[in-house]
């Protein structure tokens, strides 16, 4: 199995179609803009995907592409095989690196045969919910901390006002003791 950018783009495009909220088909132009890849490149990919019965085209206004099957029935291995058809390559088992790569490729293919578009989307939805829960907890903690800071700030503000008021009184007393108020009738010298 060959892992390539072509396979990655094909998987992302099919995920994009599978998660399309509207019931209308997804156009290659929409996918091209969303993924930031050329329209002609997508046309080549979708030609292979259509040939391997992974998508079906809808012609005319409002046309585009739909998955030909439920996302739970489309494996990642099937997508990659459609995009990168395996030719018959001879493996020289006398070469350790060839033998290791062949074994790895078979194991990878077996694993990717168990992963579906649907499971990828479900895993993403679960991860989004988990992150959302974690963020909600953090936001609540920050809000609680802010409330505590506001309470502390208000308390400090009241204490500071009292302190300023006390200082003003003390300064007035000091001023009066150093410079006693002049009594009426007393002349200034």
């Amino acid at each position: 199995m060959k892992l390539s950018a072509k396979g990655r783009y094909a998987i992302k495009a099919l995920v994009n179609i599978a998660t399309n909220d509207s019931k209308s088909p997804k156009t290659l132009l929409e996918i091209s803009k969303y993924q930031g890849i050329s329209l002609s490149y997508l046309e080549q990919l979708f030609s292979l995907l259509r040939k391997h019965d992974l998508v079906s085209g809808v012609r005319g206004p409002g046309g585009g592409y739909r998955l030909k099957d439920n996302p739970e029935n489309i494996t990642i291995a099937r997508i990659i095989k459609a995009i990168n058809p395996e030719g018959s390559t001879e493996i020289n088992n006398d070469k350790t690196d060839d033998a290791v790569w062949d074994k790895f490729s078979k194991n990878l293919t077996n694993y990717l045969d168990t992963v579906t578009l649907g499971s990828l989307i479900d895993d993403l939805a679960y991860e989004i919910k988990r992150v959302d829960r974690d963020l909600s907890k953090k936001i609540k903690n920050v809000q609680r901390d802010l409330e505590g800071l506001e309470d502390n700030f208000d308390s400090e503000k009241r204490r500071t006002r009292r302190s300023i008021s006390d200082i003003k009184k003390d300064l007035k007393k000091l001023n009066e003791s150093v410079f006693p108020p002049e009594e009426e009738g007393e002349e200034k010298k």
Side-chain angles (χ1 to χ4, degrees), residues 99-137:
V100 168
W101 186 256
D102 185 50
K103 177 72 173 164
F104 170 74
S105 183
K106 286 177 184 172
N107 288 342
L108 181 61
T109 301
N110 290 338
Y111 171 70
L112 292 178
D113 271 329
T114 68
V115 180
T116 65
L117 276 178
S119 67
L120 283 179
I121 293 166
D122 290 345
D123 288 349
L124 177 62
Y126 173 79
E127 185 64 20
I128 288 171
K129 286 179 185 173
R130 187 190 64 74
V131 167
D132 188 47
R133 277 193 314 269
D134 290 349
L135 283 175
S136 293
K137 286 179 186 176

Side-chain angles (χ1 to χ4, degrees), residues 4-165:
S4 64
K6 217 161 68 165
R8 180 171 51 111
Y9 287 129
I11 293 166
K12 287 173 61 178
L14 294 185
V15 166
N16 192 274
I17 291 172
T19 57
N20 183 9
D21 290 335
S22 75
K23 297 301 174 196
S24 60
K26 197 80 167 173
T27 68
L28 291 184
L29 184 60
E30 291 171 318
I31 297 169
S32 170
K33 286 180 180 177
Y34 186 76
Q35 288 192 10
I37 59 173
S38 78
L39 186 58
S40 62
Y41 188 72
L42 271 179
E43 288 169 345
Q44 293 170 24
L45 290 179
F46 272 76
S47 171
L48 293 169
L49 294 170
R50 202 173 46 248
K51 180 179 169 184
H52 287 88
D53 288 326
L54 290 166
V55 294
S56 60
V58 178
R59 294 183 184 272
Y65 284 92
R66 289 192 171 121
L67 295 180
K68 198 136 185 193
D69 202 350
N70 185 315
E72 290 297 329
N73 298 330
I74 300 174
T75 67
I76 301 303
R78 185 172 162 203
I79 298 167
I80 292 173
K81 287 175 187 174
I83 295 301
N84 300 311
E86 292 185 31
S88 60
T89 56
E90 285 189 36
I91 302 298
N92 183 348
N93 284 319
D94 294 336
K95 293 182 176 178
T96 305
D97 55 344
D98 281 351
V100 168
W101 186 256
D102 185 50
K103 177 72 173 164
F104 170 74
S105 183
K106 286 177 184 172
N107 288 342
L108 181 61
T109 301
N110 290 338
Y111 171 70
L112 292 178
D113 271 329
T114 68
V115 180
T116 65
L117 276 178
S119 67
L120 283 179
I121 293 166
D122 290 345
D123 288 349
L124 177 62
Y126 173 79
E127 185 64 20
I128 288 171
K129 286 179 185 173
R130 187 190 64 74
V131 167
D132 188 47
R133 277 193 314 269
D134 290 349
L135 283 175
S136 293
K137 286 179 186 176
K138 288 178 181 179
I139 288 170
K140 286 178 184 175
N141 289 339
V142 167
Q143 286 172 333
R144 189 185 66 239
D145 291 346
L146 281 174
E147 288 168 2
L149 286 173
E150 285 174 350
D151 291 344
N152 287 343
F153 179 74
D154 289 341
S155 173
E156 284 297 315
K157 198 161 88 175
R158 284 190 299 275
R159 198 172 60 83
T160 303
R161 280 188 188 145
R162 271 185 260 129
S163 296
I164 290 173
S165 176

